[in-house]
Amino acid sequence: MVKAFIFDFDGLIVDTETPWYYAFRDIYEEHGVELGLELWSKNVGTSFEEFHPFLYLEQALQKKIDHDHIKLISEQKYEVYLGQAAILPGVYELLQSAREKGIQLAVASSSTRDWVHGYLQKLGIFDYFTVVHTSEDVKRVKPDPELYLLALQSLGIEASEAIVFEDSPNGLKAANAAGIRCIIVPNEVTRGLEFAMHELRLSSLAEIDMEAL
């Protein structure tokens, strides 16, 4: 029996992934460097450990760059591309249906607590979630399973009693490593990436059939 839904945040509840990619793609182009999706996707759903956009740009240019300036410019471009932050299709309806059926809800995100809490509160959905775990709560973020294992512990359930919703291969790897079934809902940045060992693939959460779940 399903007792809980555990959600990733970035790219699943709000598409923050695509604006960040566009922002850094523009910055790279302004420096005469191409930033492909395959390269950028290495940090989607995880930390900058494998691919750090600032350090990679320095390597490509073979010179130091002003990190503070790049950070400021990237944030300005991100805000323009994001526009008015909006909850993605089907998210609110799924949260409402889950609440009506007594299914617990959680967020497990590799992003920071302030980032995730801020958006959840701005969108008016923070109170739907019994548990919200972020990068500050674990030693290792996705694709390590620690975030999902912690969410299970906090919810007081077994892996077999949960379903994870993810948009990235790193998130899927984390869910699989934690032994939790995973439904993937890729966004514009991740839809062309390879996903293995998932329960179901949807184009949006609006396609969810609660009775089938």
Side-chain angles (χ1 to χ4, degrees):
M1 177 180 176
V2 176
K3 294 183 178 179
F5 292 159
I6 309 176
F7 294 78
D8 176 47
F9 177 72
D10 290 290
L12 183 81
I13 292 177
V14 178
D15 187 8
T16 55
E17 301 288 6
T18 304
W20 275 124
Y21 169 63
Y22 286 165
F24 276 96
R25 181 195 62 183
D26 289 355
I27 290 170
Y28 271 52
E29 286 180 355
E30 290 164 6
H31 286 83
V33 180
E34 182 180 355
L35 177 59
L37 267 176
E38 185 176 352
L39 182 59
W40 177 258
S41 67
K42 291 182 178 181
N43 69 26
V44 174
T46 184
S47 65
F48 282 165
E49 189 172 318
E50 188 170 351
F51 167 72
H52 195 301
F54 294 8
L55 300 181
Y56 186 88
L57 183 57
E58 285 185 334
Q59 292 170 4
L61 297 173
Q62 295 187 330
K63 66 178 183 180
K64 291 289 185 181
I65 60 173
D66 185 338
H67 287 216
D68 290 337
H69 178 68
I70 295 295
K71 182 176 183 294
L72 176 62
I73 296 299
S74 68
E75 289 171 351
Q76 292 173 344
K77 289 178 178 292
Y78 167 80
E79 292 293 341
V80 172
Y81 277 120
L82 179 67
Q84 183 65 38
I87 196 167
L88 284 169
V91 174
Y92 181 77
E93 291 78 7
L94 181 55
L95 298 181
Q96 193 72 20
S97 296
R99 173 182 277 183
E100 291 170 358
K101 293 181 179 297
I103 296 173
Q104 294 188 83
L105 298 169
V107 170
S109 170
S110 295
S111 292
T112 63
R113 184 177 295 116
D114 287 347
W115 176 266
V116 176
H117 282 217
Y119 271 110
L120 292 178
Q121 290 165 349
K122 185 185 300 184
L123 295 166
I125 57 174
F126 183 86
D127 291 340
Y128 276 89
F129 298 98
T130 307
V131 169
V132 178
H133 284 309
T134 60
S135 59
E136 288 93 336
D137 300 318
V138 294
K139 292 181 179 178
R140 296 171 298 277
V141 295
K142 305 168 190 176
D144 191 279
E146 189 175 359
L147 271 164
Y148 282 124
L149 293 174
L150 180 59
L152 292 176
Q153 181 182 344
S154 297
L155 291 165
I157 61 172
E158 300 295 325
S160 60
E161 297 174 318
I163 293 177
V164 160
F165 295 91
E166 270 286 356
D167 69 293
S168 73
N170 282 318
L172 174 61
K173 290 174 184 176
N176 284 338
I180 312 173
R181 291 165 292 179
C182 186
I183 294 175
I184 59 167
V185 190
N187 55 54
E188 184 176 344
V189 169
T190 61
R191 67 170 58 111
L193 304 178
E194 183 178 349
F195 291 87
M197 296 177 62
H198 55 275
E199 291 292 312
L200 184 65
R201 177 172 178 149
L202 305 173
S203 60
S204 88
L205 286 174
E207 297 177 3
I208 285 287
D209 182 338
M210 281 295 290
E211 296 307 320
L213 282 184

